[in-house]
Amino acid sequence: MRSLLAALVGGMLLASPLAPSPALAEEPEEPTVLPEGHGRDETFYACTACHSTAVIRRSGFTRQQWDDLMDWMVEKQNMNPLEPDERKLIVDYLAEVFPPRRARPPAFSNPFSTN
Ligand code: HEC
């Protein structure tokens, strides 16, 4: 009885979530996951310290919005402020390769309407 209990407890410990789960590990990324362009490597290394490029790749902003995002990242997410040159390089790159998604198509208009 005692040994059965020990075996049960032992089994529970082995199955405990303390062991790192490989499923949670993020795939290592290379700068090449980002589109080709001037500033790609700088962007990759400046931005993947805290998160993968997935949040970047699913975003589409104007240059102004990317620029504002840098302030937000510094103020709210504790990012180290970028040097002005580096910031320009990175924001130019982001605006170039991740522009806003195409605006929604115009609302239906009646082709027979005369106005
Ligand atoms: C110091 C850590 C840190 C660094 C460095 C960093 N980020 Fe972030 N970023 C965050 C955190 C934390 C979030 C998630 C915030 C949340 O969703 O609550 C985030 C979210 C984002 C988002 C999603 C915003 C949204 O709401 O859709 C984008 C886009 C982004 N980061 C781009 C960048 C870019 C581009 C860089 C490099 C210039 C960068 N990040 C560098 C911490 C960082």
Side-chain angles (χ1 to χ4, degrees):
M1 183 60 201
R2 191 169 274 264
S3 63
L4 178 64
L5 190 67
L8 277 176
V9 171
M12 275 155 60
L13 282 179
L14 278 179
S16 83
L18 288 177
S21 155
L24 290 178
E26 273 189 39
E27 290 275 307
E29 292 191 301
E30 299 280 326
T32 49
V33 299
L34 292 173
E36 191 67 71
H38 183 56
R40 181 186 67 187
D41 289 8
E42 288 79 359
T43 304
F44 179 84
Y45 291 112
C47 305
T48 54
C50 304
H51 49 67
S52 77
T53 60
V55 291
I56 304 172
R57 284 182 284 133
R58 65 157 193 247
S59 304
F61 299 126
T62 61
R63 192 184 187 288
Q64 182 62 53
Q65 287 170 322
W66 278 116
D67 204 47
D68 291 346
L69 188 90
M70 295 302 105
D71 290 334
W72 175 80
M73 208 71 66
V74 170
E75 282 163 26
K76 300 281 197 266
Q77 317 300 342
N78 298 318
M79 183 173 94
N80 290 326
L82 298 166
E83 294 296 323
D85 286 355
E86 197 185 15
R87 176 165 171 154
K88 182 175 182 311
L89 180 68
I90 289 175
V91 171
D92 283 348
Y93 168 78
L94 290 168
E96 170 80 26
V97 299
F98 300 113
R101 301 221 168 71
R102 222 140 60 81
R104 285 189 292 152
F108 175 77
S109 59
N110 182 348
F112 301 107
S113 158
T114 50
N115 54 27

